[in-house]
Amino acid sequence: MKPVKRALISVSDKTGIVDFARALDTLGIEILSTGGTAQLLRDRGIDVTDVAEYTGFPEMMDGRLKTLHPKIHGGLLGRPETDKKIMAEHGILPIDILAVNLYPFEATVAKPGCTLEQAIENIDVGGPALLRAAAKNHETVTVIVDTADYARVLDELRTHHRGVSAMLKAELAAKAFAHTAAYDGTIANYLTSLRSDGTRFQFPGTYTAQFRKLYDLRYGENPHQQAAFYAERGAAPGTLASARQRQGKDLSFNNIADADAALACVRGLDTPACVIVKHANPCGVALGQTLLEAYQRAYSVDPESAFGGIVAFNRPLDATTASKILENQFVEVVVAPEMGDDTLKVLSAKPNVRALVTGKLGGEQNSLDYKRVSGGFLLQDMDMGALTASDFKTVTRTAPSEDLLADLLFAWRVVKFVKSNAIVYAKGGVTVGIGAGQPSRIMSARVAAMKAAEAKLDVQGAVMASDAFLPFRDGVDAAAEAGVVAIIQPGGSVRDREIIAAADEHGIAMVFTSMRHFRH
């Protein structure tokens, strides 16, 4: 490995840069720098040469022009043997390390009231040019865009007598190209979202996103399909993409999809809760005073479907509840914010069970929802719609009691995560029947009642939630026959009067939400 002699440092994010530069200086590596970075390093007693002094060309245009010079780009692009003569002829010295991160364009445009002028001033030109030059010539140059990589580079410099391995240089070059691609994509998204009056469309004219591969999967939804799991940039804590697997076999494509559905549902419940998911649909959801109670109630809803399912919790999983899960059923994945050593010891009795720890669950993740179609994709906001009982509008002569309102709110939060057409029967903080994905709403209501009957659960006194409006009174009639005493639905059907009259006829309380939760 050729010893590193010279580094160029120019960063907007100065995290860790002083320690990195001091370590380079200690190793006898010459440092070139610009503007605020050079001043910071100099103030901390680190020997620095200004780029302007090296090139003989001053920084100008408020810092817009400083590194776009042949002595800089020649030093990054120059090949040791091929270009040695021409570099010597023009006084171009090799630059062996480049540490650059870019103007904070994304953070700037995310600020309320950001003007077009402010956005444009935060488009970095010289930085991406430097990164691309260094990354292209990575056989010679080590390029760093991530502050987390300073330590890795220093380790190699110390281990290899100021050398950096070809493997690390290639890895960091690929990272640099990915970084500049994401940066340019963010700029394109912003500029193509602008209206003529300076306001922004919610969705840009050209949409670019970047995802980082976490790992390859054994196969996709079916064994003949290949697949991989990717995380979006800046994936929030409390998500599947940021979860840690503490034990078990590798996650499959379907494991991840189902675990995400379970996590999304349990996240929206306030008290200790358990959600059991099978094939992307909840088959049992329950609240409890403890996680053990919540799990036992959720499992009792549909033990048959729970077999081979995903079990998710919104509180740290305790050893007693973990033991009961293994005693009751075959489970593919258990998901919880935390699992202590005693819990993991219990789960280790079934080493194939996948244990996922997400960290603290926040609110719903405010990101974008993608759906692939042939030749393109659909893009929408995530369904962040949330209501409280005070938002419900009673439309029948009978108003729901306080206890029924609590059950209506619970059922409404669950039905949001059931595939449409979706019907949920609930009672006392437990789903007692779920009808999912049927072509007609009345069929979903019948399936929910059938599921309750199979599990020998009493629907008498339960509530019903419908993810979209009831188009005909037959849904009300079916609910009344099953024993439902209160219904929550969006309303908005041309037959609302007829449906309200049917509820009054059966003595059922009905509330409207004016919000739909289709989930296809």
Side-chain angles (χ1 to χ4, degrees), residues 185-207:
T186 302
I187 294 169
N189 287 350
Y190 171 78
L191 292 177
T192 63
S193 73
L194 292 178
R195 295 185 175 95
S196 57
D197 63 0
T199 60
R200 294 174 63 181
F201 291 105
Q202 186 169 2
F203 300 105
T206 298
Y207 183 74

Side-chain angles (χ1 to χ4, degrees), residues 11-69:
V11 293
S12 291
D13 177 1
K14 294 177 174 55
T15 304
I17 198 60
V18 172
D19 291 338
F20 179 63
R22 181 171 285 118
L24 295 181
D25 191 34
T26 301
L27 289 167
I29 296 169
E30 179 187 351
I31 299 174
L32 301 175
S33 192
T34 63
T37 305
Q39 188 60 52
L40 171 66
L41 300 182
R42 194 173 287 115
D43 289 345
R44 298 300 177 88
I46 299 168
D47 191 22
V48 176
T49 299
D50 282 302
V51 163
E53 179 184 342
Y54 168 63
T55 62
F57 202 86
E59 289 188 20
M60 59 178 63
M61 301 179 185
D62 297 322
R64 285 187 171 198
L65 190 61
K66 50 192 174 187
T67 58
L68 295 170
H69 191 281

Side-chain angles (χ1 to χ4, degrees), residues 272-431:
C274 174
V275 174
I276 303 176
V277 161
K278 188 70 171 292
H279 294 299
N281 273 305
C283 58
V285 183
L287 308 177
Q289 294 297 314
T290 64
L291 282 197
L292 178 60
E293 181 186 12
Y295 166 69
Q296 289 177 313
R297 299 176 89 194
Y299 177 74
S300 70
V301 174
D302 192 352
E304 183 178 60
S305 296
F307 181 86
I310 311 294
V311 183
F313 299 94
N314 63 351
R315 299 287 191 277
L317 179 61
D318 58 273
T320 302
T321 304
S323 181
K324 180 57 71 174
I325 295 170
L326 300 188
E327 177 187 324
N328 273 356
Q329 66 174 108
F330 166 60
V331 60
E332 290 276 5
V333 184
V334 180
V335 187
E338 295 294 341
M339 297 182 192
D341 291 341
D342 54 343
T343 300
L344 292 169
K345 184 176 180 181
V346 169
L347 292 175
S348 69
K350 298 287 186 181
N352 287 338
V353 173
R354 302 154 177 94
L356 289 182
V357 175
T358 64
K360 184 179 179 181
L361 300 181
E364 293 179 77
Q365 305 303 313
N366 188 14
S367 57
L368 295 173
D369 185 21
Y370 306 82
K371 189 180 293 291
R372 186 77 169 90
V373 297
S374 54
F377 68 92
L378 300 169
L379 183 63
Q380 63 176 351
D381 286 333
M382 295 293 289
D383 183 357
M384 302 289 290
L387 301 175
T388 65
S390 62
D391 298 310
F392 302 160
K393 178 184 178 183
T394 301
V395 294
T396 48
R397 289 194 295 268
T398 302
S401 66
E402 194 169 312
D403 287 344
L404 286 178
L405 275 175
D407 272 343
L408 288 168
L409 181 59
F410 168 70
W412 183 247
R413 288 177 173 173
V414 173
V415 80
K416 176 179 176 180
F417 299 99
V418 179
K419 297 290 185 179
S420 301
N421 289 310
I423 294 290
V424 170
Y425 292 163
K427 182 180 178 181
V430 184
T431 58

